[in-house]
Amino acid sequence: MSISLSLSLRRLWTLDKFAYSLRVFLAFSGIITLGWALDEAALVIPLFLGISASALSETDDSWQGRLQALLVTLGCFAIASLSVQWLYPWPWLFALGLGAATFTLIMLGAIGQRFATIAAGTLILSIYSMINIEHHGGVPEETPWRQPLLLLAGAAWYGVISVVWCALFERQPLKQSMARVYKELGKYLILKSALLEPLRDVDIEGRRLALARQNGQVVEALNQAKEMIFRRLEGQRGDHKLNRYLRIYFAAQDIHERASSTHYPYAALTEAFFHHDVLFRCQRLLDQQGLACKRLGKALLLNRPFDHRQSEQALLDLRASIDNLHAMREPRWRELLFPLEALADNLATLEEQLATAHNPDVSDTRRNEGLFDRSPSSLSDAWERIRLNLTLSSPTFRHALRLSIALLAGYGLMRLIDPEQGFWILLTTLFVCRPNFAATRRFFTQRIIGTVLGLVAGWASITLFPHPLAQSLIALIAGVAFFANREEHYIIATASITLLVLCSFNQVGSGFDLIWPRLFDTLLGAAIAGLAVFFILPDWQGRRLYRQAADALNANRRYLEEIIHQYEAGKQDDLAYRLARRDAHNADAALSTMLTNMLHEPGHYRKHDADDGLRFLVLDHTLLSYLSALGAHRHRLTQEEDKATLIPVARRIDELLAYCADQLLHRQPIRTLEGDVETLLVQLDGEPPRTPSPDKNQAVVAYRPVQSQLRLICRQLIPLSDAANRLILKPEANPSPDLDTSHT
């Protein structure tokens, strides 16, 4: 019984939202205790609002970095709260300040994610300040500084808890992040194994599309883990435990490269070995390695042994199956057995990397362990990032302008109709209005449904449990539920925060009087957000699809350049290579995200068929998988004939990818590449070296992985260029000029 309870608590501790929710619980419960001890329920509301804004502004850092971020956050909160307090009596000045502050804070998000998080929290606290002032009937003449100080006190209280928590449990977020990486890698491997299933008439395109989308999840998890490690390595490079997580991260990158590689058209292998078990063995091995990745993530979280014996046995079974095919000496299989061996070697190396990831301390430490710092290095660098986004082609600029106008419209409407608790209109607009239509549409629906559910639950709570202590406990539980669900289950989060508001405000007045105004204001705020994202500089994804596709091709081209350099100089996991590889996967993931958002837009505003975009995504991801295989097997070419033939072919492929990307970026038709591809294939298929055959001493063509992968890449160029041509906007489409004539 005690062992089971201990294991349950350990598993609860591993949940990434548990620590966050526990910090919020400590902060809220402390304020409730203070309110009851002083017998001043009016203190609770502004302190709750300050805690909420601070928790929403929390950044992931070391405890030193989080302390610095907290000081900046409190400074921004103080300026925002005092400005609202000062401008509140003058509506015109207030409106000007609201618009200017909104635009400035959103533009600060162009500097980096830390600044975007703090800026968003500052905007939220500004509206909380308005709600607090309105609740008290205006700015009190005797104690005008009381409410801003209470908001700041609540924010500081949560900030102190956050910093102390981070100092005590600094490694836990790293464990959770790395566990997520291996969980997403496991899902990717399981999806990849479906491509090896030897079945005819299956939807291969659909499986490749699912794989490309899952690749986006893997890339997101890797990027999050990298940022977490980097922020903790600042000033602590010699820390042994941090370096261990760094090596685990590098192992995940290597596994990702192996997992995303493709060595041969699987349809040809399926046709040749349809009546044999070798592809089933490949599929089972890849599936078992996916499950092993998931187990590895749990092992890292729980500090438990990692068992991958099932995948090791699956690898032995695959080797035995390939040996059996060799023993059959079927002439028509000879050339296909070479890529099958390469596939098996790749999976064997992946198996070794799984063991390395679990025990990175015994791995080779000679690799370059540098990480690329994407944060601004100076004030001039930060300003340059903002300046580059001061254009209508920038989604950040468009969102800043759109949200500023939407909040001004909400404030004007509020002044016009003078509703009760009217500032809830602005809060709803702020939360619902997102940078693109798809996200706004999702939050629009979920916000309204969550508010209705929260109001019903709130009405029932304050009716059935009129005692203030019971309502305080309900508010506490609802507050924790909001922060635990705000990212993944927004309906529950909205219902929870609505319940918290009703129970909290009922402590100092009548919560029943807030029900209808809250519903009315939510509907108005959501409507303003929906109209704003539809009519004010709408950022339709279809209009930018060609540009993102060009970025993906350019990223693949730079990845190929680094691979070529590795074949010339020898394998080296340096920063330049890893950065090019990561940029290629980032571009592929960004294209996948854009297409997902595009599918939720009104059909009239899709400048391209969604099928054309999805087709390009599948082809681009397939190209990336061929490049990954080329990178996975990289080594220094030793034979002069290889250097004289393969390197020029690779450079010509690089030039053709650059040409396609440039034509796509400028919306110019791409000429047919059939002649270029035919020339390259002739160069690759020149007189290849031969090796003796065990069958009657006949010479057979030697298999060269580099040559094979370059051939696959060459054949991918024609369908890829055709798909790119379909993405180019036609003149009669009359695209928005501000979107299509410039880019950042």
Side-chain angles (χ1 to χ4, degrees), residues 297-423:
K298 291 183 179 179
L300 291 172
L301 268 179
L302 299 172
N303 294 321
R304 295 168 60 184
F306 170 54
D307 181 9
H308 60 119
R309 285 176 295 179
Q310 290 181 321
S311 56
E312 287 180 320
Q313 182 59 48
L315 178 60
L316 294 176
D317 294 341
L318 173 60
R319 289 293 190 190
S321 181
I322 294 176
D323 290 341
N324 181 58
L325 289 175
H326 277 294
M328 296 175 70
R329 297 185 177 183
E330 181 68 38
R332 59 191 176 92
W333 292 345
R334 279 180 188 152
E335 293 189 12
L336 289 177
L337 285 174
F338 291 118
L340 199 59
E341 286 278 9
L343 174 60
D345 290 342
N346 187 56
L347 295 177
T349 305
L350 199 155
E351 190 70 25
E352 294 173 5
Q353 289 167 340
L354 282 172
T356 298
H358 181 251
N359 191 14
D361 297 327
V362 300
S363 63
D364 185 6
T365 59
R366 293 175 295 175
R367 75 158 74 224
N368 183 329
E369 294 189 346
L371 292 174
F372 182 69
D373 185 6
R374 298 184 185 271
S375 60
S377 57
S378 62
L379 288 177
S380 61
D381 186 17
W383 164 245
E384 183 64 15
R385 295 189 183 193
I386 295 175
R387 188 188 66 79
L388 289 174
N389 280 275
L390 291 174
T391 169
L392 284 175
S393 64
S394 165
T396 302
F397 180 85
R398 298 167 78 86
H399 178 57
L401 204 57
R402 185 187 307 122
L403 184 58
S404 301
I405 295 173
L407 290 179
L408 285 174
Y411 182 69
L413 181 65
M414 187 193 76
R415 302 293 302 184
L416 180 65
I417 64 177
D418 193 25
E420 289 185 64
Q421 303 293 335
F423 282 106

Side-chain angles (χ1 to χ4, degrees), residues 398-551:
R398 298 167 78 86
H399 178 57
L401 204 57
R402 185 187 307 122
L403 184 58
S404 301
I405 295 173
L407 290 179
L408 285 174
Y411 182 69
L413 181 65
M414 187 193 76
R415 302 293 302 184
L416 180 65
I417 64 177
D418 193 25
E420 289 185 64
Q421 303 293 335
F423 282 106
W424 294 109
I425 297 174
L426 299 187
L427 188 66
T428 301
T429 300
L430 177 62
F431 277 111
V432 173
C433 188
R434 299 288 165 152
N436 59 70
F437 179 86
T440 301
R441 177 181 176 180
R442 183 172 68 254
F443 280 92
F444 178 93
T445 305
Q446 294 180 352
R447 184 82 181 182
I448 293 175
I449 295 174
T451 299
V452 172
L453 293 177
L455 290 175
V456 172
W459 171 81
S461 297
I462 59 181
T463 300
L464 298 175
F465 306 101
H467 195 279
L469 179 59
Q471 292 180 16
S472 296
L473 293 176
I474 293 172
L476 173 62
I477 295 171
V480 174
F482 167 73
F483 286 96
N485 293 281
R486 69 183 184 89
E487 292 182 357
E488 296 181 0
H489 307 97
Y490 193 67
I491 291 178
I492 298 175
T494 303
S496 299
I497 198 66
T498 303
L499 177 59
L500 180 146
V501 167
L502 284 182
C503 290
S504 298
F505 277 75
N506 197 58
Q507 303 283 316
V508 293
S510 176
F512 296 99
D513 295 337
L514 190 62
I515 293 177
W516 287 110
R518 171 78 172 184
L519 178 61
F520 182 66
D521 294 347
T522 296
L523 294 175
L524 283 178
I528 291 171
L531 292 172
V533 80
F534 197 89
F535 290 108
I536 303 174
L537 297 175
D539 195 13
W540 304 119
Q541 304 295 286
R543 293 178 177 175
R544 294 193 296 115
L545 183 58
Y546 74 97
R547 189 183 303 162
Q548 188 58 55
D551 289 344

